[in-house]
Amino acid sequence: MGKELASNIVFSKNVVEFVTVAVQYCTFLENPENITSKEYTDKLTKLLPLLYLKASLLPEIEIEDEIYPEVTVTEDDYNYIVSKLYTAYKENDTYLEVFVEDMKYSDTPISASISEDVADIYQDTKNFISIYEQGIEENMSEGLYTCFENFKLYWGQKLVNVLRALHSLRYAIDEENMEDNGLDSNNIQEEW
């Protein structure tokens, strides 16, 4: 890949927009404030679809050699994010996973974790951002390649799966509030 082509790609509109959203996502998760699960859910249900959209618009690039981009997210960093989210979500952290290849062979439900899935997405995006911030174009291209490949193979699916769980939490019908307003949840289901 020519140096000029790499420069055009890593500074292209779609890559810069992806970096912008990824920085917002990572900064939000790194925020030391303890916030509620409702606040996390509200923000994540806005950031994750945008992150998915921007990642899906990333350009395909080819790398000739095997690459091993720098990994900046440590196990402690990862565990910090998981711990914060798990503390906020508690019993709502686990959700049933349906888009797992092994699911068709399983007699028991397969579960996933909101906190771990969000941290997995953080790990790949943060590693890429760290490389991108260094401004070395060859490394930026390699980091972009790795991040996009991981999106296609791994964290893109995690993103849509965890978004399903977060959507359910955010828009769950509160039966108590419905009854207070004279609504019956059974009648609502029948009307649809």
Side-chain angles (χ1 to χ4, degrees), residues 18 22 35 69 76 81 89 96 102 110 117 134 164 167 182 191:
F18 171 74
I35 61 176
D76 288 341
I81 300 298
Y89 283 107
L96 292 179
D102 295 337
I110 297 174
D117 286 353
Q134 294 172 7
R164 182 175 44 85
H167 176 84
E191 290 177 18

Side-chain angles (χ1 to χ4, degrees), residues 42 48-49 53 87 90 108 138 149 151 153 161 169 178:
D42 180 58
L48 288 172
L53 173 65
T87 299
K90 295 179 177 97
T108 59
E138 184 177 341
E149 288 301 307
F151 166 74
L153 299 172
N161 293 349
L169 287 175
M178 291 176 58

Side-chain angles (χ1 to χ4, degrees), residues 87-126:
T87 299
Y89 283 107
K90 295 179 177 97
E91 68 276 352
N92 290 323
D93 186 61
T94 303
Y95 67 96
L96 292 179
E97 183 54 83
V98 294
F99 292 105
V100 174
E101 186 64 28
D102 295 337
M103 182 63 187
K104 59 185 165 188
Y105 306 113
S106 177
D107 292 337
T108 59
I110 297 174
S111 62
S113 164
I114 290 173
S115 58
E116 289 179 12
D117 286 353
V118 168
D120 287 345
I121 298 163
Y122 166 84
Q123 187 172 24
D124 268 340
T125 55
K126 181 65 175 186

